[in-house]
Amino acid sequence: MRGTLMLSWILIICLSQVAVQSQYYSKSRPYHSRPAKVTNLHFFMHEHTGITAVVVAQANITSNNSSVPFATLVAVNDPLRTGPEPDSEVIGNVQGISLLAGSNASSTQYIEFGFNTGKFNGSSLSVFSRGEPGLAVVGGRGRFMMAKGIALFNPILINATNVIIEFNFTVIHH
């Protein structure tokens, strides 16, 4: 018993000395941020229902008769083009998910606008937002590092098989 008590006291003293003798070491460096840039982008998303936009999940409890049922999860992989014409140059793609959760076809979206040509090749913009009146840009990578901004959109064509949406992005990035 006496040996255990002595060992306990030795451990307590050693541990207290370790806490007193050790110090956290760090070397602070000044932060030099790069100047912010403002970039305006204009392009068109071409979606083909059932090909580049596919329903992944849908609740079977819905009773409305709209063309876009409540509680539908859609995966998208749509091309980005320079113009509204189907044969205009492809500059990237949109990938992500859209949750149609409103009774008026409103949606919450997480989508990534990736660019694979030109000045912004390898860069992308991340959007996480509820649709109207624009989408919130919440980040980016590549040339759009630490991006924030807004993406205004204008539906050009919406029919049973095709959707063409015009996008105007204003992005602040480093």
Side-chain angles (χ1 to χ4, degrees):
M1 177 74 180
R2 184 178 172 153
T4 307
L5 185 59
M6 183 62 100
L7 181 60
S8 298
W9 276 109
I10 291 172
L11 285 174
I12 290 172
I13 291 170
C14 287
L15 288 175
S16 65
Q17 289 299 313
V18 169
V20 169
Q21 296 297 323
S22 66
Q23 296 178 2
Y24 177 74
Y25 174 77
S26 71
K27 184 176 180 180
S28 297
R29 297 181 303 174
Y31 175 68
H32 301 290
S33 66
R34 293 188 276 178
K37 303 173 197 163
V38 176
T39 302
N40 294 306
L41 300 168
H42 180 250
F43 48 81
F44 296 82
M45 180 185 81
H46 292 249
E47 182 175 288
H48 305 288
T49 306
I51 299 171
T52 63
V54 178
V55 174
V56 176
Q58 182 176 349
N60 60 3
I61 60 170
T62 60
S63 62
N64 64 352
N65 294 327
S66 71
S67 62
V68 183
F70 175 77
T72 301
L73 183 66
V74 177
V76 296
N77 185 10
D78 303 327
L80 292 177
R81 298 182 179 269
T82 56
E85 302 81 19
D87 59 347
S88 58
E89 179 188 4
V90 175
I91 58 170
N93 66 334
V94 178
Q95 292 180 336
I97 57 174
S98 180
L99 175 63
L100 305 164
S103 58
N104 59 353
S106 66
S107 65
T108 301
Q109 302 180 15
Y110 169 73
I111 48 181
E112 184 95 357
F113 291 81
F115 302 94
N116 55 22
T117 61
K119 179 180 177 181
F120 301 114
N121 185 17
S123 301
S124 67
L125 290 166
S126 299
V127 172
F128 184 75
S129 193
R130 279 188 72 175
E132 302 290 335
L135 301 171
V137 176
V138 296
R141 61 182 181 85
R143 291 191 152 225
F144 297 118
M145 189 173 11
M146 297 181 67
K148 59 183 174 183
I150 189 159
L152 300 175
F153 60 92
N154 179 31
I156 303 293
L157 170 72
I158 298 177
N159 62 31
T161 58
N162 295 309
V163 175
I164 299 175
I165 299 175
E166 176 183 24
F167 281 96
N168 287 295
F169 275 72
T170 300
V171 182
I172 301 168
H173 58 96
H174 296 279

